[in-house]
Amino acid sequence: GNENDKLNNTMSLRDETIKALTADISSLRTQLQSVTDEKNMMEKSLHQTQLQVVSLEQSNESQEKVMTQSDLLRKTAEQGSSEARKNLEDQRTQMEELRQRLLEVEAETTKQRDIIAKYQRDRQEMKRRIKSKVDIIKQQEEVLTQKENEATELMRQIQETTVEKNRTQNENIARKKELNDVRGKLEESAKLLESNQQVITWLNK
């Protein structure tokens, strides 16, 4: 009874632990998917920024060509070129920030994958330990059954011995009775013989 309760408790605990681990892994996979989506968006944004930088660099080059045409145009072009350079710097800064964020996202993705892998390893280890405990309980049950069988056999032998002992006692009682009967008959024969002796003696007088 107690062994079965222990086994049931172990199984129940195992099921609850596996459910909890499965829920954790599901949650981590959702987080990983979210981080992966964010990474993809950032890569897209980074690509767009790179295109804008190329466009601005081309614009900057053409403005610098216009500057050589005349002084009047040069002043206008210098203003435009200054703004273009500023925009270019801003875009480069933004691109660098995106690169940094992308590195962080990749690091986070790797971390999440490692956590999921660890949970899966832990789950496998827990399954192995539970199987080991179940095997031990089975072995204990087998030993218990063997002991019960040995006890049953011993009881049977004791009962057989008791029956044999009772039979022997009954035989002994019967033999004692026979012996007493024989002794009684012997005494009777002895008395009869003595009586006959007396008669013979008397007749011989």
Side-chain angles (χ1 to χ4, degrees), residues 79-122:
Q79 274 185 328
S81 179
S82 174
E83 284 175 14
R85 281 196 184 98
K86 187 177 179 301
N87 285 341
L88 186 61
E89 286 304 317
D90 289 346
Q91 290 292 344
R92 279 182 176 151
T93 304
Q94 191 182 348
M95 193 165 74
E96 190 53 40
E97 284 173 2
L98 277 169
R99 279 203 185 108
Q100 285 300 319
R101 180 62 187 141
L102 195 58
L103 287 173
E104 287 171 16
V105 167
E106 282 173 351
E108 182 65 21
T109 304
T110 303
K111 185 181 166 188
Q112 294 290 349
R113 282 196 183 122
D114 288 347
I115 289 169
I116 286 173
K118 184 181 182 298
Y119 266 96
Q120 285 173 337
R121 283 197 304 274
D122 289 351

Side-chain angles (χ1 to χ4, degrees), residues 65 70 90 97 134 136 140 155 182-183 200 205:
K65 281 177 188 173
S70 68
D90 289 346
E97 284 173 2
V134 170
I136 289 167
Q140 287 173 344
M155 284 297 293
V182 169
R183 278 179 181 159
I200 290 166
K205 278 182 181 180

